[in-house]
Amino acid sequence: MAEHRTMQRSALLDAARSLLSEGGTEALTFPALAERTGLARSSVYEYFRSRGAVVEELCAVDFPVWAAEVEDAMAAADTAEGKVEAYVRQQLTLVGDRRHRAVVAISASELDAGAREKIRAAHGGLVTMIGDALRDLGHEQPRLAAMMLQGVVDAAVRRLELGGAAEDPAVITDAAVSMALRGVRG
């Protein structure tokens, strides 16, 4: 029975990822989750008390995977500047990944304080990772520099999210990397 519940919960999270990816947070409704999974709407409520709870769980499950991919890309770089470039490039590469699309949609939505706090804590891990590289580059306030650097990444993510309305993804990524590296050199 517990295994069946785990499978249904997993199916609900997968459906939530798809809905967020296709239509943003407005698309994430309990009727839509029920329809996608073949569960009764009342069953969806047995797993999650609110949309915010679905979002919190998606963050808890998906963000660590995404952060680990960024961390791996940074670990493969030999220099502090290489780590900064990997930090930017890997996040922008993951924009096309369905898990990340869910995280982007979630970040853009109106969330309850608990969900927002979990996202902030998860982002905090990334900020800490890049802070070490920025310290190595001689930044006296690496945490502040990391927040600014993440702002460049977030702006590039929003630009990529526009799809055909914006520039080619490679152009956006290269511009973000260039801006990040010039900025972190001070």
Side-chain angles (χ1 to χ4, degrees), residues 58-77:
L58 271 179
C59 282
V61 171
D62 293 352
F63 204 96
V65 175
W66 182 67
E69 290 179 37
V70 175
E71 197 167 1
D72 289 348
M74 288 174 63

Side-chain angles (χ1 to χ4, degrees), residues 12-160:
L12 283 164
L13 289 176
D14 212 44
R17 282 183 198 98
S18 294
L19 289 165
L20 284 165
S21 183
E22 293 160 19
T25 45
E26 299 75 40
L28 180 61
T29 65
F30 279 32
L33 284 171
E35 188 182 320
R36 287 279 168 109
T37 56
L39 293 169
R41 196 185 313 184
S42 58
S43 297
V44 177
Y45 282 99
E46 289 176 29
Y47 291 90
F48 299 104
R49 67 187 185 286
S50 66
R51 281 180 0 149
V54 177
V55 165
E56 278 187 48
E57 182 135 347
L58 271 179
C59 282
V61 171
D62 293 352
F63 204 96
V65 175
W66 182 67
E69 290 179 37
V70 175
E71 197 167 1
D72 289 348
M74 288 174 63
D78 298 333
T79 64
E81 284 192 358
K83 288 182 189 317
V84 170
E85 179 167 353
Y87 176 83
V88 174
R89 270 192 199 283
Q90 188 63 25
Q91 286 191 70
L92 298 180
T93 298
L94 290 170
V95 171
D97 181 305
R98 213 161 53 92
R99 286 165 318 183
H100 180 56
R101 290 191 58 78
V103 172
V104 169
I106 288 163
S107 300
S109 69
E110 306 80 54
L111 298 173
D112 62 49
R116 270 201 311 274
E117 195 44 54
K118 286 195 171 146
I119 292 172
R120 258 199 299 280
H123 267 287
L126 284 177
V127 169
T128 301
M129 282 193 305
I130 196 63
D132 294 340
L134 294 170
R135 192 174 295 105
D136 293 345
L137 285 168
H139 276 274
E140 290 176 19
Q141 292 189 308
R143 188 159 177 80
L144 176 60
M147 301 273 198
M148 298 294 166
L149 176 60
Q150 188 60 43
V152 170
V153 173
D154 292 344
V157 166
R158 284 193 298 277
R159 200 79 196 148
L160 288 168

